[in-house]
């Protein structure tokens, strides 16, 4: 059995944490203002003075035609005095209770002497009233003690990790909040054990728990020992994840020194159920306020850095968060979603119609869509660039080609409609060895005549890879397939390349259409592109047309075709089908 040594000062440590993080918060929320104490105390004295004076007054007051002696009101004021004392006991803990008790007890002999020596029998009910008030505040006090103990226990469990006995994530968040409020500089470190899942899987949960208890105890020992030179706070946030808050450091080197101590402690041999383990951990950290100014960002950014340490799997276990880790993380996340979508067949397509200026349907552009496992639709603007970067684009394109090709091919066969299908290709995909075979198969399987298929290639290809791509593009043209130059205007393609490009269509990017009617220069610019396209022998289509006024201008300057939300958003296949048959 392993030697789990929870040290004796555990309770002291726990208490310190509770004191540091939650007690103050608790008191702030539950404490009654000091002036209320004095209000009840002074209230008590004033009402007692009224009791004494009214008890000795024989004056009568008239109420509703009846004469009532003033002294009969003494009982009412006596009750008010007792209520003041009871409030003290209810709201001001031991201090309120003792104050109340002393007041009531001191009053007893005074009342008694008035009864015995002055024969003032009317004070006798007041005496019993006092006794009852004493019983009431004792009962209140005893009950408060019980409730307090219970609350303390609740507070303790709220901030403690039950398995390891060290503070939990809630305590850590509270401390982070408190430090942020005071604008204190601190480092938040996310520590995750490596290979912990394997221990759980092969040795069972009990062994896993023992590992966590032992590691937590080692971390806590260093935290409490003060040997790191910084002020530390360790907590277990979940499973095999710990959070360390470091204060009172002057340079980042101090942080690294502190981390090394914890790293060392974790990597020492661990013996659980007679088996030896060597465990390591990944440390990602953020510094407040440099790397985030909210609890969320400080915690999640440290987590991002920690994940990067795991991913890179180098001998350096520490990494501070930097902004570019976010894009790496996002890329990995999106890549995983694309792979899952390919496996689960949740990549699909929509069809955006293209029209000539008499509003006659020319055809459709197939646009890729993807659903993640929760059914959320992810935009191609997000997943296409990632698919390109990680080499999944040919698979994504392939799915869109196959599905959209079959759909449009079937319609052409059934209705004889003279419509085209435009598909997008990424440069990386276009340059793959088997691209032409893939397109051949697409034509064969879909039955779309080559003259009704169009491949959209972005203008950027002319800048990046024109030499490698030119043969490929000519081969596509030779197959009788149409070629469109997509996003025209966003790159800086030279006229000589454009002249050689065997395209049919030039697609003016939406950004130029957006500006079209804002000033005459923009209009002349688009007119220039249209003329250029016509000179080269291309048709010209404007993308992203959203307003009637844009259509008017485009008509005026001789644009051939329109693709935009004004006449058609991307449609589901069945809606595109209805548009064709209507
Ligand atoms: P793109 O090829 O320039 O496609 C046109 C984009 O503009 C589409 O966005 C379309 O929905 C949007 N659009 C069209 N008209 C309007 C309009 O009037 N207003 C506005 N606001 N937007 C309009 P989407 O579908 O998000 O596609 C974004 C980009 O993703 C595409 O730009 C294309 O570069 C890429 N993409 C989409 N599907 C595929 C695919 O199957 N394969 C590859 N390789 N890339 C694809
Ligand atoms: Ca396109
Ligand atoms: Ca475009």
């Amino acid at each position: 059995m392993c030697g789990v040594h929870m040290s004796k000062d555990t309770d002291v440590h726990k208490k310190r944490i509770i004191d540091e993080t939650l007690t103050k918060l608790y008191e702030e929320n539950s404490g009654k203002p000091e002036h209320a104490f004095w209000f009840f105390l002074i209230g008590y004295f004033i009402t007692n003075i009224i009791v004494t004076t009214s008890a000795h007054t024989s004056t009568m007051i008239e109420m509703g035609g009846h004469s009532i002696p003033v002294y009969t009101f003494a009982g009412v004021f006596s009750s008010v005095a007792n209520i003041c004392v009871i409030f003290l006991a209810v709201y001001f803990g031991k201090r309120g209770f003792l104050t109340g008790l002393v007041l009531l007890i001191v009053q007893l002999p005074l009342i008694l002497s008035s009864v015995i020596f002055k024969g003032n029998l009317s004070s006798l009910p007041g005496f019993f009233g006092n006794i009852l008030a004493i019983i009431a505040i004792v009962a209140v006090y005893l009950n408060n003690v019980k409730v307090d103990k219970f609350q303390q226990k609740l507070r303790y469990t709220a901030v403690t990790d039950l398995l390891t006995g060290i503070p939990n994530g809630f305590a850590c968040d509270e401390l982070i909040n408190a430090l942020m409020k005071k604008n204190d500089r601190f480092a938040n470190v996310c520590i995750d054990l490596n290979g912990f899942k394997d221990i759980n899987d092969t040795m069972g949960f009990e062994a896993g728990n023992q590992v966590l208890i032992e590691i937590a105890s080692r971390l806590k020992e260093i935290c409490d020992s003060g040997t790191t030179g910084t002020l530390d706070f360790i907590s277990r946030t979940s499973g095999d994840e710990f959070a360390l808050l470091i204060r009172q450091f002057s340079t980042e080197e101090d942080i690294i020194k502190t981390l090394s101590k914890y790293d060392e402690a974790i990597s020492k041999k661990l013996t659980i159920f007679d088996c030896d383990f060597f465990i390591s951990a990944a440390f990602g950290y953020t510094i407040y306020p440099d790397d985030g100014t909210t609890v969320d960002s400080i915690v999640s950014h440290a987590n991002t850095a920690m994940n990067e340490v795991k991913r890179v799997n180098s001998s350096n276990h520490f990494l501070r968060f930097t902004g570019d880790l976010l894009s790496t993380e996002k890329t990995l996340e999106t890549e995983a979603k694309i792979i899952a979508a390919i496996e689960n067949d949740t990549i699909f397509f929509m069809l955006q119609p293209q029209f000539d200026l008499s509003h006659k349907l020319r055809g459709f552009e197939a646009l890729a869509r993807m659903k993640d496992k929760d059914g959320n639709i992810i935009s191609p603007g997000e997943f296409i660039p990632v698919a390109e970067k990680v080499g999944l684009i040919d698979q994504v394109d392939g799915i869109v080609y196959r599905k959209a090709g079959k759909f449009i091919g079937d319609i052409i066969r059934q209705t004889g409609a003279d419509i085209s299908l435009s598909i997008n290709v990424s440069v990386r995909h276009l340059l793959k060895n088997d691209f032409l075979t893939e397109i051949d198969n697409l034509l064969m399987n879909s039955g779309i005549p080559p003259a009704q298929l169009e491949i959209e290639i972005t203008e950027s290809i002319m800048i990046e890879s024109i030499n490698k791509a030119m043969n490929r593009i000519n081969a596509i043209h030779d197959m009788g397939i149409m070629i469109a130059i997509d996003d025209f205007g966003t790159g800086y393609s030279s006229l000589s390349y454009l002249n050689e490009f065997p395209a049919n269509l030039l697609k003016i990017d939406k950004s130029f259409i957006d500006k079209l009617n804002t000033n005459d220069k923009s209009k002349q610019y688009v007119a220039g592109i249209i003329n250029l396209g016509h000179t080269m022998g291309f048709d010209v289509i404007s993308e992203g047309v959203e307003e009637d006024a844009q259509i008017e201008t485009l008509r005026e300057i001789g644009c051939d075709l329109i693709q935009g939300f004004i006449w058609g958003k991307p449609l589901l296949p069945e809606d595109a089908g209805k548009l064709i048959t209507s």
Side-chain angles (χ1 to χ4, degrees), residues 351 364 407 411 571-582:
L351 294 171
F364 296 91
F407 181 79
I411 289 191
L571 304 170
L572 286 171
E574 60 258 34
D575 295 326
K578 279 180 208 153
L579 188 66
I580 298 167
T581 45
S582 74

Side-chain angles (χ1 to χ4, degrees), residues 354 365-367 422-425 456-458 486-487 507 543 563:
Q354 302 171 332
E365 175 178 358
L367 294 162
S422 306
I423 53 176
N424 290 283
V425 66
E456 297 193 2
I457 305 170
T458 58
D486 204 356
D487 303 340
K507 300 192 79 173
E543 275 196 287
Q563 178 179 349

Side-chain angles (χ1 to χ4, degrees), residues 245-520:
L245 300 182
I246 304 176
R247 281 175 280 173
Q248 297 177 7
F249 56 88
S250 28
T251 62
E252 231 185 303
E253 234 166 76
D254 296 342
I255 297 175
I256 300 292
K257 251 188 238 160
T258 294
L259 294 186
S260 307
K261 290 244 155 72
Y262 288 94
D263 191 31
E264 219 173 275
I266 293 173
S267 5
K268 275 190 200 137
K269 187 174 86 179
L270 194 81
T271 310
I272 304 285
F273 298 152
D274 280 337
C275 290
D276 290 346
F277 295 96
F278 291 91
I279 290 189
S280 62
F283 297 69
Y285 64 96
T286 43
I287 296 177
Y288 173 82
D290 314 11
D291 303 330
T293 48
T294 60
V295 181
D296 250 15
S297 61
I298 277 291
V299 171
S300 74
H301 289 170
N303 209 59
T304 301
M306 182 278 290
N307 281 328
E308 180 66 9
V309 174
K310 291 214 156 194
R311 193 180 70 84
V312 174
N313 196 16
S314 86
S315 58
N316 184 7
H317 296 172
F318 315 138
L319 185 70
R320 180 174 171 182
F321 169 79
T322 53
D324 39 314
L325 289 180
L326 282 182
S327 55
T328 311
E329 186 177 60
K330 184 85 191 136
T331 301
L332 291 168
E333 198 184 299
T334 308
E335 180 185 1
K337 283 184 185 169
I338 299 171
I339 292 172
I342 293 173
E343 274 170 9
N344 303 329
D345 194 23
T346 54
I347 290 175
F348 60 102
F349 67 98
M350 292 187 91
L351 294 171
Q352 187 176 27
Q354 302 171 332
F355 300 93
D356 69 11
L357 277 147
S358 67
H359 210 147
K360 181 173 171 276
L361 183 67
R362 173 209 190 222
F364 296 91
E365 175 178 358
L367 294 162
R369 297 289 180 265
M370 177 176 114
K371 267 188 204 158
D372 69 9
K373 65 176 190 322
D374 301 323
N376 304 314
I377 299 213
I378 299 162
S379 85
E382 190 178 324
F383 72 84
I384 294 283
V386 174
E388 284 171 348
K389 191 166 157 192
V390 303
L392 289 167
I393 189 64
D394 46 323
Q395 292 190 56
V396 174
D397 278 351
I399 294 168
V400 174
Y401 297 177
R402 183 166 44 77
K403 291 186 176 178
K406 175 165 169 25
F407 181 79
I408 292 292
D410 286 351
I411 289 191
I412 290 176
R413 211 172 315 115
Q414 286 156 15
T415 65
D418 181 20
I419 49 162
S420 58
L421 173 67
S422 306
I423 53 176
N424 290 283
V425 66
S426 295
V427 178
R428 188 166 174 173
H429 182 195
L430 178 82
L431 294 176
K432 284 198 79 167
N433 285 336
D434 52 1
F435 183 74
L436 292 177
T437 321
E438 195 185 331
I439 295 301
D440 238 351
N441 289 340
L442 171 63
L443 290 174
M444 224 157 55
N445 296 334
S446 67
I448 300 177
Q452 282 169 264
L453 183 69
E454 182 169 72
I455 297 185
E456 297 193 2
I457 305 170
T458 58
E459 185 197 15
S460 65
I461 200 163
M462 291 188 223
I463 302 137
E464 294 161 8
S465 352
I466 190 69
N467 295 326
K468 275 190 270 173
M470 214 57 207
N471 284 343
R472 188 59 50 95
I473 292 166
N474 281 324
I476 294 169
H477 178 72
D478 292 345
M479 287 162 85
I481 294 170
M482 296 186 285
I483 292 172
I485 304 173
D486 204 356
D487 303 340
F488 189 78
T490 56
Y492 300 90
S493 45
S494 85
L495 283 182
S496 62
Y497 284 139
L498 200 58
N499 197 25
E500 282 174 33
F501 215 84
N504 300 69
L505 185 70
L506 202 101
K507 300 192 79 173
I508 305 177
D509 192 68
K510 178 175 186 300
S511 53
F512 299 100
I513 307 305
D514 287 343
K515 283 185 282 186
L516 182 65
N517 283 335
T518 57
N519 55 57
D520 195 55

